[in-house]
Structures are given as structure tokens and as C-alpha cells.
């Protein structure tokens, strides 16, 4: 018997860099809204017992319609997001079941996540308490100063582009969240909360196709990947 895992889908961000007025969760990918692909993967993963969607208040009805239309029975609640990512996740946590033992936190704008990737990272978290998907960085990365002058070049072999879902044991994550203090708004991902308190997070090999919809070119790439999968 596996532990009860609650997926928290963070879908409350704006679409400034995408250059559209609507939420990027509803960007059509081969005729279907992006969030539908995201929810479908978590619905099909046997390790996920429930799904909580954190979104803008005005998006709730549309997301509920998508869930109902597709028979996504694991979607148990839709809650409003907060002023920062960490606050949005905290709002989602308030809606999870009392049975929950692990949180699988995922960007709603990563619609190409696969069931297999979810399973791998959740199983790793069962062993370590904290795990995330990640892929090796291909480009050479430079650290620059305030004048755009190169200061140093970190070893590429040690660099990973971190993806989601990021999975944490319930009590560990809640402790990290409670002790984030005023720094919470500075944390751009959930691993940072664990790192801040000195904890360790295992990086599980992910897939480069698990891209995040951020700019218009990402939509072109996502549709190309979906066509190839089909």
C-alpha cells in the first residue's frame, strides 16, 4: 500500500511574458487547453490520490468544466492563489485531505509532464523525503556582476535545470514553509524552501520535453512534441 499523495497544481500565475490577456492555462495545444494535459497526467498516475488546483478566482469555473468534461475525478478542490508562489502553494495545502502524507507540487503550465515522470519522482520522495525532476544543463552558464561582466563559470556537470513536480514529505514541507519567514516571496521553487532550512533534495532525471509555457515559442515547441507523441 502506497502513501497518500496530494498533487497541488499551481496555475495562478499571470501571462505577462506570453503576451496574452487570458490565463496561459487555457492556451490551446492541438485544440485542447494546456491545463487539460496537465490534469490528465496526474489523473492517470496511480500514486496520486487527489488533485488540488490553485488558480485565479476568475478561472475556477473554466477549470472545473474541463475536469468534469474529461472525468478527472481526482480534482477535489479549486482554491485561489496568493501573492507569491509559496503563498499559492500554502493555500493549496489547506485544501488537502487529512490522509495526505506527501505533496506533489507541479506547475500547471507544464502540460507535457508524463505519468512515468510523476511516478519516478514520487517514488524517490518516498525514499528520501524530498525529490524533484531535473535535466542536465546544455549551455555554458556564466555568473555576471551588476555591470554584466563575467565573474565566474560554474561547472556544467554540476548544473541542473529543475522541473516539476517537486515532491515532499508533508511534515518536512510544512516545517520549511512555516520557517521561511519574510524570505518566502524570494523562493521561485519549492526546493528552495527545503534548501533554506538546510535540507537535502534529490534530483531525479527528468525529460527535456517537460517544458514550461512561458513565451510564445514554447507553444510552438509544445504542439510539435504533442504531434510527435500522437
Amino acid at each position: 500500500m502506497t502513501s497518500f499523495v496530494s498533487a497541488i497544481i499551481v496555475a495562478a500565475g499571470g501571462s505577462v511574458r506570453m503576451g496574452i490577456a487570458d490565463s496561459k492555462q487555457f492556451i490551446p495545444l492541438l485544440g485542447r487547453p494546456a491545463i487539460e494535459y496537465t490534469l490528465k497526467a496526474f489523473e492517470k498516475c496511480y500514486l496520486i490520490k487527489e488533485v488540488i488546483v490553485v488558480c485565479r478566482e476568475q478561472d475556477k469555473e473554466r477549470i472545473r468544466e474541463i475536469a468534469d468534461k474529461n472525468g478527472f475525478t481526482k480534482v477535489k478542490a479549486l482554491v485561489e492563489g496568493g501573492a507569491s508562489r509559496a503563498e499559492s502553494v500554502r493555500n493549496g495545502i489547506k485544501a488537502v485531505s487529512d490522509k495526505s502524507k506527501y505533496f506533489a507540487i507541479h506547475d500547471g503550465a507544464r502540460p507535457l509532464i508524463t505519468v512515468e515522470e510523476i511516478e519516478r519522482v514520487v517514488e524517490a520522495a518516498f525514499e528520501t523525503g524530498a525529490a524533484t525532476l531535473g535535466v542536465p544543463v546544455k549551455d555554458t552558464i556564466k555568473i555576471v556582476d551588476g555591470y554584466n561582466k563575467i565573474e565566474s563559470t560554474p561547472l556544467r556537470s554540476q548544473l541542473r535545470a529543475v522541473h516539476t513536480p517537486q515532491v515532499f514529505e508533508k511534515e518536512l514541507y510544512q516545517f520549511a514553509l512555516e520557517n521561511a519567514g519574510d524570505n518566502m516571496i524570494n523562493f521561485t521553487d519549492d526546493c528552495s524552501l527545503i534548501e533554506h532550512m538546510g535540507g537535502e533534495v534529490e534530483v531525479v532525471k527528468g525529460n527535456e520535453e517537460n517544458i514550461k509555457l512561458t513565451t510564445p515559442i514554447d507553444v510552438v515547441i509544445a504542439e510539435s512534441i504533442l504531434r510527435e507523441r500522437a
Side-chain angles (χ1 to χ4, degrees):
M1 184 176 180
T2 60
S3 296
F4 193 106
V5 182
S6 300
I8 299 169
I9 310 299
V10 185
S15 304
V16 176
R17 284 176 289 179
M18 190 61 72
I20 60 175
D22 198 7
S23 170
K24 59 186 174 183
Q25 312 303 326
F26 305 118
I27 291 173
L29 299 176
L30 301 186
R32 296 179 178 273
I35 191 70
E36 180 177 320
Y37 293 95
T38 307
L39 295 176
K40 183 178 181 180
F42 283 86
E43 179 76 22
K44 293 176 67 176
C45 181
Y46 80 98
L47 291 173
I48 302 298
K49 305 305 181 185
E50 68 173 359
V51 175
I52 310 298
V53 181
V54 185
C55 60
R56 302 186 304 176
E57 182 66 30
Q58 62 264 39
D59 293 340
K60 285 184 180 180
E61 184 176 348
R62 291 169 70 185
I63 294 176
R64 173 51 66 188
E65 287 177 356
I66 292 169
D68 292 344
K69 177 183 177 182
N70 290 278
F72 297 154
T73 59
K74 291 182 181 179
V75 178
K76 300 301 183 184
L78 283 78
V79 300
E80 190 171 358
S84 66
R85 178 189 172 81
E87 288 180 6
S88 291
V89 174
R90 184 165 58 184
N91 290 351
I93 288 173
K94 293 176 182 177
V96 303
S97 168
D98 292 337
K99 300 177 184 177
S100 184
K101 299 298 182 183
Y102 287 83
F103 302 143
I105 304 167
H106 184 68
D107 298 319
R110 287 188 188 272
L112 302 185
I113 185 65
T114 65
V115 174
E116 292 74 21
E117 286 175 287
I118 298 170
E119 290 175 353
R120 284 203 305 272
V121 70
V122 169
E123 289 170 349
F126 285 164
E127 296 292 328
T128 65
T132 182
L133 290 174
V135 297
V137 172
K138 292 181 177 180
D139 297 325
T140 297
I141 305 298
K142 301 290 186 180
I143 297 175
V144 300
D145 62 18
Y147 301 96
N148 280 328
K149 305 297 183 182
I150 294 175
E151 289 188 338
S152 63
T153 306
L155 288 175
R156 189 166 57 187
S157 61
Q158 293 183 306
L159 298 177
R160 298 293 182 271
V162 175
H163 293 175
T164 64
Q166 299 179 354
V167 188
F168 309 96
E169 191 274 327
K170 174 183 177 180
E171 293 183 358
L172 172 67
Y173 187 83
Q174 287 182 323
F175 180 81
L177 198 60
E178 291 167 1
N179 287 273
D182 295 334
N183 292 318
M184 193 160 62
I185 195 171
N186 298 319
F187 296 132
T188 57
D189 79 332
D190 300 284
C191 293
S192 300
L193 288 169
I194 308 300
E195 298 166 37
H196 177 70
M197 56 171 276
E200 296 182 347
V201 182
E202 180 176 350
V203 179
V204 178
K205 185 177 181 180
N207 190 322
E208 292 179 349
E209 294 182 354
N210 185 22
I211 64 172
K212 187 175 182 181
L213 301 181
T214 304
T215 61
I217 189 62
D218 298 323
V219 178
V220 177
I221 295 170
E223 289 197 314
S224 176
I225 292 170
L226 288 170
R227 288 192 188 96
E228 183 68 23
R229 289 182 181 181

